Short mmCIF file of all heavy atoms in Angstrom, two decimals:
data_model
loop_
_atom_site.label_atom_id
_atom_site.label_comp_id
_atom_site.label_asym_id
_atom_site.label_seq_id
_atom_site.Cartn_x
_atom_site.Cartn_y
_atom_site.Cartn_z
N ARG A 232 55.85 31.67 156.47
CA ARG A 232 55.35 30.45 157.11
C ARG A 232 55.23 29.31 156.11
O ARG A 232 55.56 28.16 156.40
CB ARG A 232 53.99 30.74 157.74
CG ARG A 232 53.38 29.56 158.51
CD ARG A 232 54.16 29.27 159.76
NE ARG A 232 53.55 28.18 160.51
CZ ARG A 232 52.64 28.37 161.47
NH1 ARG A 232 52.24 29.60 161.76
NH2 ARG A 232 52.13 27.35 162.12
N LEU A 233 54.78 29.63 154.87
CA LEU A 233 54.66 28.61 153.84
C LEU A 233 56.03 28.07 153.46
O LEU A 233 56.21 26.85 153.33
CB LEU A 233 53.96 29.20 152.62
CG LEU A 233 53.84 28.27 151.39
CD1 LEU A 233 53.04 27.03 151.74
CD2 LEU A 233 53.22 29.02 150.22
N VAL A 234 57.01 28.97 153.28
CA VAL A 234 58.36 28.53 152.93
C VAL A 234 58.94 27.65 154.03
O VAL A 234 59.56 26.61 153.77
CB VAL A 234 59.26 29.74 152.64
CG1 VAL A 234 60.71 29.30 152.45
CG2 VAL A 234 58.77 30.48 151.41
N GLU A 235 58.76 28.07 155.28
CA GLU A 235 59.26 27.28 156.40
C GLU A 235 58.56 25.93 156.46
O GLU A 235 59.18 24.90 156.76
CB GLU A 235 59.06 28.05 157.71
CG GLU A 235 59.95 29.28 157.83
CD GLU A 235 59.69 30.03 159.12
OE1 GLU A 235 58.69 29.72 159.79
OE2 GLU A 235 60.48 30.93 159.44
N GLY A 236 57.24 25.92 156.16
CA GLY A 236 56.51 24.67 156.15
C GLY A 236 57.02 23.71 155.10
O GLY A 236 57.18 22.51 155.35
N LEU A 237 57.31 24.23 153.91
CA LEU A 237 57.88 23.38 152.86
C LEU A 237 59.25 22.86 153.29
O LEU A 237 59.62 21.72 152.95
CB LEU A 237 58.00 24.17 151.56
CG LEU A 237 56.67 24.58 150.90
CD1 LEU A 237 56.92 25.45 149.68
CD2 LEU A 237 55.86 23.34 150.52
N GLY A 238 59.99 23.68 154.02
CA GLY A 238 61.28 23.21 154.52
C GLY A 238 61.13 22.08 155.51
O GLY A 238 61.93 21.14 155.52
N VAL A 239 60.10 22.16 156.36
CA VAL A 239 59.86 21.08 157.31
C VAL A 239 59.54 19.78 156.59
O VAL A 239 60.05 18.71 156.93
CB VAL A 239 58.71 21.46 158.28
CG1 VAL A 239 58.34 20.28 159.17
CG2 VAL A 239 59.12 22.64 159.14
N ILE A 240 58.70 19.85 155.55
CA ILE A 240 58.38 18.66 154.77
C ILE A 240 59.63 18.12 154.09
O ILE A 240 59.86 16.91 154.03
CB ILE A 240 57.28 18.97 153.74
CG1 ILE A 240 55.95 19.24 154.45
CG2 ILE A 240 57.10 17.81 152.76
CD1 ILE A 240 54.80 19.53 153.51
N ALA A 241 60.46 19.02 153.54
CA ALA A 241 61.67 18.59 152.85
C ALA A 241 62.63 17.88 153.79
O ALA A 241 63.35 16.97 153.37
CB ALA A 241 62.35 19.79 152.19
N ARG A 242 62.63 18.28 155.05
CA ARG A 242 63.51 17.63 156.02
C ARG A 242 62.93 16.34 156.58
O ARG A 242 63.64 15.57 157.22
CB ARG A 242 63.82 18.59 157.17
CG ARG A 242 64.66 19.79 156.77
CD ARG A 242 65.18 20.52 158.00
NE ARG A 242 64.10 21.03 158.83
CZ ARG A 242 63.55 22.23 158.69
NH1 ARG A 242 63.96 23.03 157.72
NH2 ARG A 242 62.58 22.63 159.50
N ASN A 243 61.65 16.12 156.36
CA ASN A 243 60.97 14.92 156.86
C ASN A 243 60.98 13.87 155.77
O ASN A 243 60.21 13.93 154.81
CB ASN A 243 59.53 15.27 157.28
CG ASN A 243 58.86 14.14 158.04
OD1 ASN A 243 59.10 12.97 157.78
ND2 ASN A 243 58.01 14.49 158.99
N ARG A 244 61.85 12.89 155.89
CA ARG A 244 62.00 11.89 154.83
C ARG A 244 60.74 11.05 154.67
O ARG A 244 60.36 10.69 153.55
CB ARG A 244 63.19 10.98 155.14
CG ARG A 244 64.54 11.70 155.09
CD ARG A 244 65.69 10.74 155.33
NE ARG A 244 66.98 11.44 155.27
CZ ARG A 244 68.15 10.83 155.46
NH1 ARG A 244 68.19 9.53 155.71
NH2 ARG A 244 69.26 11.53 155.38
N LEU A 245 60.08 10.74 155.77
CA LEU A 245 58.88 9.92 155.68
C LEU A 245 57.77 10.68 154.95
O LEU A 245 57.01 10.09 154.17
CB LEU A 245 58.41 9.52 157.08
CG LEU A 245 59.32 8.55 157.83
CD1 LEU A 245 58.75 8.23 159.21
CD2 LEU A 245 59.51 7.26 157.04
N ALA A 246 57.67 11.99 155.21
CA ALA A 246 56.66 12.79 154.50
C ALA A 246 56.97 12.85 153.01
O ALA A 246 56.05 12.78 152.17
CB ALA A 246 56.60 14.20 155.08
N LEU A 247 58.24 12.95 152.65
CA LEU A 247 58.62 12.95 151.24
C LEU A 247 58.30 11.61 150.58
O LEU A 247 57.86 11.57 149.42
CB LEU A 247 60.10 13.27 151.10
CG LEU A 247 60.51 14.72 151.35
CD1 LEU A 247 62.02 14.87 151.25
CD2 LEU A 247 59.83 15.65 150.37
N ILE A 248 58.53 10.53 151.31
CA ILE A 248 58.18 9.21 150.78
C ILE A 248 56.68 9.12 150.54
O ILE A 248 56.22 8.63 149.51
CB ILE A 248 58.66 8.10 151.74
CG1 ILE A 248 60.19 8.06 151.78
CG2 ILE A 248 58.09 6.74 151.33
CD1 ILE A 248 60.74 7.10 152.81
N GLY A 249 55.90 9.60 151.52
CA GLY A 249 54.46 9.58 151.37
C GLY A 249 54.00 10.41 150.19
O GLY A 249 53.14 9.98 149.40
N LEU A 250 54.56 11.61 150.02
CA LEU A 250 54.19 12.47 148.90
C LEU A 250 54.58 11.83 147.57
O LEU A 250 53.83 11.93 146.58
CB LEU A 250 54.88 13.83 149.05
CG LEU A 250 54.57 14.88 147.97
CD1 LEU A 250 53.08 15.18 147.93
CD2 LEU A 250 55.37 16.16 148.24
N THR A 251 55.72 11.15 147.54
CA THR A 251 56.13 10.46 146.32
C THR A 251 55.16 9.35 145.95
O THR A 251 54.79 9.19 144.78
CB THR A 251 57.55 9.88 146.51
OG1 THR A 251 58.46 10.93 146.82
CG2 THR A 251 58.00 9.18 145.24
N ILE A 252 54.72 8.59 146.94
CA ILE A 252 53.76 7.51 146.68
C ILE A 252 52.45 8.08 146.15
O ILE A 252 51.86 7.55 145.19
CB ILE A 252 53.52 6.69 147.96
CG1 ILE A 252 54.79 5.94 148.37
CG2 ILE A 252 52.38 5.69 147.75
CD1 ILE A 252 54.69 5.24 149.71
N ILE A 253 51.97 9.17 146.75
CA ILE A 253 50.72 9.80 146.30
C ILE A 253 50.86 10.29 144.86
O ILE A 253 49.97 10.08 144.03
CB ILE A 253 50.35 10.95 147.24
CG1 ILE A 253 50.02 10.42 148.64
CG2 ILE A 253 49.15 11.72 146.68
CD1 ILE A 253 49.83 11.51 149.68
N CYS A 254 51.97 10.95 144.56
CA CYS A 254 52.18 11.47 143.20
C CYS A 254 52.25 10.34 142.19
O CYS A 254 51.70 10.46 141.08
CB CYS A 254 53.45 12.31 143.16
SG CYS A 254 53.35 13.87 144.06
N LEU A 255 52.91 9.25 142.54
CA LEU A 255 52.97 8.11 141.63
C LEU A 255 51.58 7.52 141.39
O LEU A 255 51.24 7.14 140.26
CB LEU A 255 53.91 7.03 142.18
CG LEU A 255 55.41 7.38 142.18
CD1 LEU A 255 56.21 6.28 142.86
CD2 LEU A 255 55.90 7.59 140.75
N GLY A 256 50.78 7.45 142.45
CA GLY A 256 49.42 6.96 142.30
C GLY A 256 48.58 7.86 141.40
O GLY A 256 47.82 7.38 140.55
N LEU A 257 48.72 9.18 141.59
CA LEU A 257 47.98 10.12 140.74
C LEU A 257 48.43 10.03 139.29
O LEU A 257 47.59 10.07 138.36
CB LEU A 257 48.19 11.55 141.26
CG LEU A 257 47.38 11.94 142.50
CD1 LEU A 257 47.83 13.31 143.00
CD2 LEU A 257 45.89 11.97 142.19
N LEU A 258 49.73 9.91 139.06
CA LEU A 258 50.22 9.78 137.70
C LEU A 258 49.71 8.50 137.06
O LEU A 258 49.36 8.50 135.86
CB LEU A 258 51.75 9.81 137.69
CG LEU A 258 52.40 11.16 138.04
CD1 LEU A 258 53.91 11.02 138.12
CD2 LEU A 258 52.03 12.22 137.01
N ALA A 259 49.68 7.42 137.83
CA ALA A 259 49.15 6.16 137.30
C ALA A 259 47.69 6.30 136.92
O ALA A 259 47.24 5.77 135.89
CB ALA A 259 49.34 5.05 138.33
N ALA A 260 46.91 7.01 137.75
CA ALA A 260 45.49 7.20 137.46
C ALA A 260 45.28 8.08 136.23
O ALA A 260 44.42 7.79 135.39
CB ALA A 260 44.79 7.80 138.67
N ILE A 261 46.06 9.13 136.10
CA ILE A 261 45.87 10.07 135.00
C ILE A 261 46.33 9.48 133.67
O ILE A 261 45.65 9.61 132.64
CB ILE A 261 46.63 11.38 135.29
CG1 ILE A 261 46.02 12.09 136.52
CG2 ILE A 261 46.60 12.32 134.08
CD1 ILE A 261 46.84 13.27 137.00
N PHE A 262 47.48 8.81 133.69
CA PHE A 262 48.07 8.32 132.45
C PHE A 262 47.91 6.81 132.28
O PHE A 262 48.70 6.19 131.56
CB PHE A 262 49.56 8.68 132.41
CG PHE A 262 49.82 10.16 132.42
CD1 PHE A 262 50.30 10.78 133.57
CD2 PHE A 262 49.57 10.94 131.31
CE1 PHE A 262 50.54 12.14 133.59
CE2 PHE A 262 49.80 12.30 131.32
CZ PHE A 262 50.29 12.91 132.46
N ALA A 263 46.90 6.24 132.90
CA ALA A 263 46.67 4.80 132.79
C ALA A 263 46.57 4.32 131.34
O ALA A 263 47.19 3.29 130.99
CB ALA A 263 45.43 4.40 133.58
N PRO A 264 45.83 5.01 130.45
CA PRO A 264 45.75 4.52 129.06
C PRO A 264 47.11 4.51 128.36
O PRO A 264 47.32 3.70 127.45
CB PRO A 264 44.78 5.50 128.40
CG PRO A 264 43.98 6.07 129.51
CD PRO A 264 44.93 6.15 130.67
N LEU A 265 48.00 5.42 128.75
CA LEU A 265 49.32 5.47 128.11
C LEU A 265 50.29 4.46 128.70
O LEU A 265 51.17 3.94 128.00
CB LEU A 265 49.91 6.89 128.24
CG LEU A 265 49.09 8.02 127.61
CD1 LEU A 265 49.75 9.36 127.88
CD2 LEU A 265 48.93 7.80 126.11
#
Side-chain angles (χ1 to χ4, degrees):
R232 183 69 177 268
L233 176 61
V234 173
E235 291 178 349
L237 293 176
V239 173
I240 292 181
R242 293 193 299 270
N243 191 326
R244 294 183 180 179
L245 292 180
L247 287 177
I248 293 174
L250 182 60
T251 301
I252 294 173
I253 295 172
C254 291
L255 290 175
L257 283 172
L258 290 175
I261 295 171
F262 298 106
L265 300 177

